[in-house]
Amino acid sequence: MALERTLSIIKPDAVAKNVIGEIYARFEKAGLKVVAAKMKQLSRKEAEGFYAVHRERPFFNALVEFMISGPVMIQALEGEGAIAKNRDLMGATDPKKAAPGTIRADFADSIDANAVHGSDAAETAAVEIAYFFASTEVSAR
Ligand code: RTP
Ligand code: MG
């Protein structure tokens, strides 16, 4: 397996629930290292740009509204197979379908307020990390 980096966002619902530390502990226990991090209130433009691939989807406006409803915690994670590993930790998009013990099963309330985002492929991971972090803000390997 290759050493990878992925973008993770702890969404406004999970930040409001005060579970940033609990979610970070899951990353760490799975061998994922935080190599960049910032807390941020996203602007509407930033959220729309980040989710541009979903622009034509019926849930786009609700998704953007939710993502700007409060601060988010954004991090780049590094580790062997980090992209898939983070997706495994997150669980299914809909928390009702997420496996027990996953972040979404334990902390998410609905498909909209679903606690975390994680990049879904190597190409999107690189684009998403660069969307939020300058290269000088990410730890060198
Ligand atoms: P994410 O991008 O946030 O990591 O989540 P994901 O890959 O599991 O899901 P994706 O298909 O990329 O959708 C992005 C976010 O849009 C919301 N969504 N709502 N109401 C719906 O049918 C619906 N489908 C997706 C979710 O909040 C999802 O995380
Ligand atoms: Mg996605």
Side-chain angles (χ1 to χ4, degrees), residues 11 51 54 59 63 87 90 93 104 111-112 114 117-118:
K11 296 185 179 184
Y51 281 118
H54 294 309
F59 58 80
L63 175 60
R87 299 284 298 188
M90 289 162 58
T93 308
R104 282 168 168 163
I111 194 164
D112 298 303
N114 65 356
H117 163 84

Side-chain angles (χ1 to χ4, degrees), residues 10-63:
I10 300 177
K11 296 185 179 184
D13 58 322
V15 171
K17 282 185 183 167
N18 203 24
V19 292
I20 293 171
E22 291 198 43
I23 293 172
Y24 268 46
R26 291 174 187 221
F27 297 151
E28 292 172 357
K29 284 192 191 107
L32 295 176
K33 187 173 177 182
V34 177
V35 293
K38 65 175 79 165
M39 180 174 266
K40 201 169 181 195
Q41 170 66 53
L42 298 183
S43 68
R44 185 175 298 275
K45 257 202 163 74
E46 271 177 315
E48 286 174 349
F50 183 73
Y51 281 118
V53 293
H54 294 309
R55 201 184 298 277
E56 304 304 326
R57 309 283 286 277
F59 58 80
F60 180 72
N61 286 332
L63 175 60

Side-chain angles (χ1 to χ4, degrees), residues 73-90:
M73 187 73 196
I74 310 167
Q75 44 283 325
L77 305 175
E78 183 182 271
E80 291 293 319
I83 296 163
K85 200 175 264 184
N86 182 43
R87 299 284 298 188
D88 287 347
L89 292 175
M90 289 162 58

